[in-house]
Amino acid sequence: MKLALLAPLAAAMIAAPSIADAQDRRVQGEEILRQLFGGQAQSGWQIGPILRGRSYSPGMPATAQPYGSGFVIDFPTRRDHHVHYVTKPVRSLAGARAITVRYRIDAARGARFVPQARPDQAATMSLYFQRGGDNWSGSDRFKYYRWYAPTAKMKTLRPGEYEMTIRMDDPDWIAVSGGTKAGTVPREFAAALANASRVGIVFGSSSLRGHGVYATAPARITVTDFNIR
């Protein structure tokens, strides 16, 4: 084979490292942080949700590995383990214009992403934010405390590099209360923005947004940038 033909292949291999290579780099990065600051590298990104001391992302660590303004997580590969919410604290979102997320998914050949509650559907991820003081019942006044990005902005989980931007004034944000849209309850949506306490990414399916996902083979998501502006 001519060297001219080998060059693009070599470049592609360098540009697309394996999950094992990425793991090695992450471990090296954590060791540098430990040497600089001591102890375990910490992340503001919580994996959960965690309610009354119980994690609803079974088999996952309590926090994601930090990566710039984003994070890195390895998807669980057991059916009884799944990742639901990856969130961080946030102050009021009143006045925020949009959230932009850039991310990359790496996966072993043949890996599939499976929603644990609806394995018949495609596995998805989407943005969400939550008003402070939520009791997670989704009823009475709490039915307007969790908001999920418009359906058209959901992303199917598959290997590759992606970017998504969701405007905060989009009337199609969906409340946890059975699909109520922000445009139909503007006062409640504005109150949730003004009193927001958490923001992040949820994994599930189109019908059950944050009900968890696992992979059938090693796979990882690296959120390279999470920007609220």
Side-chain angles (χ1 to χ4, degrees):
M1 184 179 292
K2 295 182 179 180
L3 290 177
L5 296 178
L6 284 172
L9 177 60
M13 292 175 65
I14 294 172
S18 68
I19 294 176
D21 292 337
Q23 174 76 6
D24 289 341
R25 287 199 302 274
R26 178 176 66 79
V27 171
Q28 292 169 5
E30 290 173 9
E31 180 59 30
I32 292 172
L33 288 173
R34 280 192 291 270
Q35 292 175 9
L36 289 173
F37 302 109
Q40 177 69 32
Q42 295 297 313
S43 166
W45 290 95
Q46 181 190 83
I47 301 176
I50 298 175
L51 307 177
R52 294 178 290 278
R54 173 190 172 189
S55 174
Y56 282 76
S57 283
M60 296 296 292
T63 59
Q65 295 295 333
Y67 190 100
S69 61
F71 60 84
V72 179
I73 61 169
D74 293 320
F75 288 93
T77 54
R78 289 174 42 172
R79 291 186 180 183
D80 58 340
H81 291 173
H82 19 89
V83 56
H84 292 236
Y85 285 63
V86 183
T87 69
K88 68 175 182 177
V90 68
R91 294 182 179 179
S92 172
L93 290 172
R97 292 177 293 148
I99 300 175
T100 295
V101 180
R102 297 178 182 89
Y103 65 98
R104 182 180 72 251
I105 294 178
D106 300 292
R109 186 186 299 273
R112 293 183 300 107
F113 297 95
V114 184
Q116 69 92 18
R118 291 300 304 268
D120 57 311
Q121 297 183 356
T124 64
M125 62 176 278
S126 68
L127 290 176
Y128 113 112
F129 73 91
Q130 185 171 11
R131 179 173 174 171
D134 190 10
N135 72 354
W136 289 84
S137 68
S139 60
D140 299 324
R141 64 188 176 95
F142 299 106
K143 62 185 179 181
Y144 301 126
Y145 272 50
R146 270 174 285 151
W147 290 88
Y148 301 84
T151 300
K153 297 293 186 177
M154 278 192 305
K155 294 287 189 181
T156 300
L157 293 175
R158 56 171 63 98
E161 294 189 10
Y162 305 94
E163 177 179 322
M164 58 179 172
T165 296
I166 293 90
R167 291 188 57 85
M168 304 311 293
D169 61 359
D170 192 319
D172 290 334
W173 279 87
I174 298 174
V176 69
S177 58
T180 301
K181 293 187 176 182
T184 64
V185 286
R187 181 179 300 177
E188 288 82 356
F189 184 68
L193 286 171
N195 297 281
S197 65
R198 300 200 75 84
V199 65
I201 294 171
V202 298
F203 298 91
S205 62
S206 60
S207 60
L208 295 172
R209 295 284 190 101
H211 283 241
V213 165
Y214 68 92
T216 60
R220 163 176 295 172
I221 181 169
T222 302
V223 174
T224 58
D225 185 38
F226 191 97
N227 181 32
I228 303 172
R229 65 182 193 279

